[in-house]
Amino acid sequence: MRHILTPLDFKTQELDALFDLAADIEANPQKYANACRGKKLATLFYEPSTRTRLSTETAMLNLGGSTMGFSDATSSSVSKGESVADTIRTVSCFADIAAIRHPKEGAAMVATQVSRIPIINCGDGGHQHPTQTLTDMFTIRSLMGRLNHMTIGLCGDLKFGRTVHSLIDAMSRYEGIRFVFISPKELRIPEYIFERLDEHDIQYDEFIKLEDVIGKLDILYMTRVQRERFFNEEDYVRLKDFYVLNKRIMRKAKNNMFVLHPLPRVNEISVEVDNDPRAAYFRQVQYGVYARMALILTLLGIHVNEDGTVTQTPVE
Ligand code: NCD
């Protein structure tokens, strides 16, 4: 059985195949409309979410399957003290695949240890968020036509931003990728990620001011300051508006740069940027549905043939 805890659970060839599938789904949605007929997805969300949960559920519905779950742990037996492991053992009896989001790092991994169905990590604390990364990568591939040879700037809360950690891990494996990390000192990338980049000889630079480097970027990945992971409110208040991307700063960027954001946005991108053709963060949400449809099919071992018939093979 196959799970996704980090994007590294997939080799780059497998990711490329997954994105080819996502592109085929985007071009021929009808072909996939019954691919998961009779299959059930459980969404177990112990932390707030709008896009990730609804996008994963939409993905299953678009494939002809159905969904169940909770979007608030207080409405499940978690509020009575049930462990993640016991909840997953139970859900394994009901559903064919489960998507889980939890505030603790490693929660999804605990789930995989007892699960009888594939687990999709939809965010574990400040650690990883692989389905956002599939979304981000499919967006980049669709907009730029490639996943290699580019400069990617990541800006904002690089310390607690799990989408940042997953995206760096995944993109590090493609040729000619150069990262630019733009953050205040307090919100730098965690040390273990720097070590990994150094170990693999991956090029990166660090900046504090976005204006000093925006002109060099092909992709600008903005993030919000992760209030819920701060130890004290004072630090959050001091750092929350450190970056505000506006029209004036966008004038310094290349004409063919794209701005991505996992969303939700707070203040870090001014709404005046939304109509700029380089603002791709709402298109990114749509790409996320195709990427998650491709992921569900892959984890369930479901192959849709040219004539729309379905073959399911057990996944090793
Ligand atoms: C992200 C998350 O939950 O990590 N949101 C999302 O899934 N699109 C980013 C965030 O909350 O800032």
Side-chain angles (χ1 to χ4, degrees):
M1 200 191 346
R2 188 134 199 214
H3 310 286
I4 185 164
L5 293 177
T6 99
L8 299 178
D9 291 336
F10 282 69
K11 297 195 193 82
T12 52
Q13 294 91 321
E14 291 175 316
L15 286 182
D16 293 337
L18 195 143
F19 299 135
D20 288 343
L21 177 58
D24 194 53
I25 292 170
E26 181 184 5
N28 307 294
Q30 261 328 100
K31 183 174 144 192
Y32 295 88
N34 291 308
C36 283
R37 180 75 54 217
K39 301 279 185 222
K40 299 183 211 79
L41 162 80
T43 48
L44 316 173
F45 276 56
Y46 297 78
E47 251 195 357
S49 167
T50 301
R51 269 148 299 268
T52 305
R53 186 174 60 83
L54 295 181
S55 166
T56 311
E57 293 187 357
T58 301
M60 188 48 136
L61 296 173
N62 288 351
L63 292 166
S66 47
T67 69
M68 61 174 92
F70 54 84
S71 55
D72 175 1
T74 56
S75 69
S76 76
S77 282
V78 175
S79 62
K80 302 181 189 167
E82 185 168 64
S83 67
V84 168
D86 286 0
T87 300
I88 295 293
R89 281 193 185 97
T90 306
V91 168
S92 293
C93 303
F94 306 145
D96 300 284
I97 185 164
I100 175 168
R101 167 173 287 189
H102 198 282
K104 288 226 174 80
E105 288 77 8
M109 195 185 64
V110 169
T112 62
Q113 287 163 353
V114 295
S115 181
R116 289 192 284 113
I117 57 175
I119 298 291
I120 301 174
N121 179 11
C122 285
D124 61 326
H127 185 218
Q128 294 276 336
H129 190 345
T131 69
Q132 183 62 44
T133 297
L134 299 182
T135 300
D136 303 339
M137 293 174 79
F138 185 54
T139 304
I140 295 172
R141 197 182 99 142
S142 303
L143 297 174
M144 315 261 302
R146 63 178 197 279
L147 280 170
N148 49 20
H149 299 288
M150 64 179 83
T151 301
I152 303 177
L154 297 113
C155 177
D157 187 346
L158 309 186
K159 179 177 180 185
F160 296 116
R162 56 195 173 193
T163 67
V164 167
H165 307 156
S166 289
L167 187 60
I168 295 170
D169 276 352
M171 291 301 294
S172 297
R173 297 182 296 173
Y174 287 80
E175 211 180 302
I177 296 295
R178 199 185 172 88
F179 293 109
V180 179
F181 302 134
I182 309 145
S183 75
K185 283 203 171 55
E186 296 89 333
L187 299 178
R188 286 175 76 216
I189 295 279
E191 205 47 49
Y192 75 90
I193 296 188
F194 281 120
E195 283 166 18
R196 233 183 254 171
L197 293 170
D198 291 338
E199 214 173 281
H200 293 98
D201 253 339
I202 296 171
Q203 302 288 305
Y204 64 84
D205 283 315
E206 284 192 272
F207 283 82
I208 292 179
K209 283 187 78 177
L210 177 57
E211 285 160 271
D212 292 348
V213 70
I214 192 169
K216 296 212 165 62
L217 308 178
D218 299 306
I219 295 285
L220 170 59
Y221 193 88
M222 293 297 294
T223 61
R224 108 189 132 88
V225 177
Q226 306 278 299
R227 179 182 204 160
E228 65 275 37
R229 312 215 193 280
F230 270 67
F231 300 110
N232 68 68
E233 182 73 7
E234 232 170 80
D235 286 348
Y236 169 73
V237 170
R238 187 166 48 82
L239 294 168
K240 72 182 170 68
D241 294 325
F242 202 92
Y243 299 106
V244 181
L245 179 64
N246 56 22
K247 274 190 172 164
R248 182 183 58 79
I249 302 177
M250 281 298 279
R251 262 184 232 120
K252 301 189 174 170
K254 291 185 193 171
N255 286 333
N256 57 356
M257 182 197 79
F258 287 104
V259 184
L260 270 61
H261 191 311
L263 304 177
R265 154 189 47 196
V266 188
N267 279 328
E268 59 282 353
I269 303 180
S270 162
V271 290
E272 67 182 26
V273 176
D274 293 357
N275 290 329
D276 187 308
R278 295 167 292 181
Y281 30 93
F282 292 113
R283 278 175 276 171
Q284 195 178 345
V285 176
Q286 182 62 55
Y287 286 123
V289 176
Y290 306 127
R292 290 185 173 98
M293 287 170 77
L295 176 67
I296 291 173
L297 290 175
T298 306
L299 292 179
L300 289 175
I302 292 177
H303 180 75
V304 179
N305 304 307
E306 272 316 310
D307 62 358
T309 55
V310 169
T311 345
Q312 186 169 13
T313 40
V315 179
E316 295 299 316

